[in-house]
């Protein structure tokens, strides 16, 4: 377990939560056009926060694999709103998830944090990857995408 990744993920999630409860209401109350930034704060921080927390707990996969997995899970979660299962569908959230995933992975490459131990058993890799990412994604989605 690498505490620096877990703490970094928690800090990113906390920053997203604070911005969702301070910046978003300020923009809405003052009718500021910020190009939907206030609407997608949760989607911007969800992938980096989830990936850092999961990678800190279990680094058997690379940051790239966790980032792709988290992005797919969050985009699938966003499509639940399209079918009126959970929340609302917003194409800006999907764009924000993709952009934040790419920027996050590029930052990880710059800092040299992209490597992880390779999978020993590739048959179980999708199920193990999803069981590691889903609980973290669910918590971070709940905490950062709460709309007052």
């Amino acid at each position: 377990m690498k505490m620096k990744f877990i703490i970094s993920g928690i800090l990113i999630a906390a920053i997203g939560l604070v911005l969702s409860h301070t910046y978003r209401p300020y923009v809405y109350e003052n009718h500021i056009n910020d190009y939907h930034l206030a609407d997608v704060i949760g989607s911007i921080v969800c992938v980096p926060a989830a990936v850092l927390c999961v990678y800190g707990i279990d680094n058997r996969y690379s940051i790239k694999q966790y980032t792709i997995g988290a992005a797919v899970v969050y985009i699938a979660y966003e499509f639940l709103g399209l079918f009126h299962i959970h929340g609302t569908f917003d194409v800006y959230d999907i764009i924000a998830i993709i952009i934040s995933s790419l920027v996050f992975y590029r930052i990880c490459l710059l800092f040299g944090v992209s490597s992880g131990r390779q999978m020993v058993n590739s048959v179980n890799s999708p199920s193990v990857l999803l069981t590691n990412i889903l609980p973290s994604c669910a918590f971070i989605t709940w905490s950062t995408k709460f709309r007052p």
Side-chain angles (χ1 to χ4, degrees), residues 70-127:
V72 167
V73 167
Y74 278 119
I75 290 172
Y77 174 80
E78 192 64 35
F79 274 105
L80 292 178
L82 185 64
F83 303 114
H84 305 293
I85 296 172
H86 189 310
T88 58
F89 177 77
D90 188 8
V91 72
Y92 294 114
D93 283 327
I94 293 175
I95 293 168
I97 290 168
I98 292 169
I99 291 172
S100 72
S101 298
L102 294 172
V103 169
F104 170 70
Y105 182 64
R106 181 66 181 146
I107 290 171
C108 287
L109 285 177
L110 288 174
F111 286 112
V113 188
S114 63
S115 64
R117 288 180 279 150
Q118 294 300 318
M119 297 176 286
V120 175
N121 186 0
S122 62
V123 175
N124 294 328
S125 63
S127 62

Side-chain angles (χ1 to χ4, degrees), residues 25-72:
Y26 177 77
V27 167
Y28 289 167
E29 288 172 4
N30 295 312
H31 305 290
I32 298 171
N33 184 11
D34 69 341
Y35 302 103
H36 299 281
L37 182 63
D39 299 329
V40 297
I41 291 171
S43 296
I44 291 171
V45 301
C46 66
V47 172
V51 169
L52 287 172
C53 286
V54 172
Y55 187 74
I57 293 169
D58 182 16
N59 63 350
R60 79 176 76 170
Y61 303 107
S62 67
I63 292 281
K64 180 180 181 180
Q65 291 168 315
Y66 279 130
T67 302
I68 291 170
V72 167

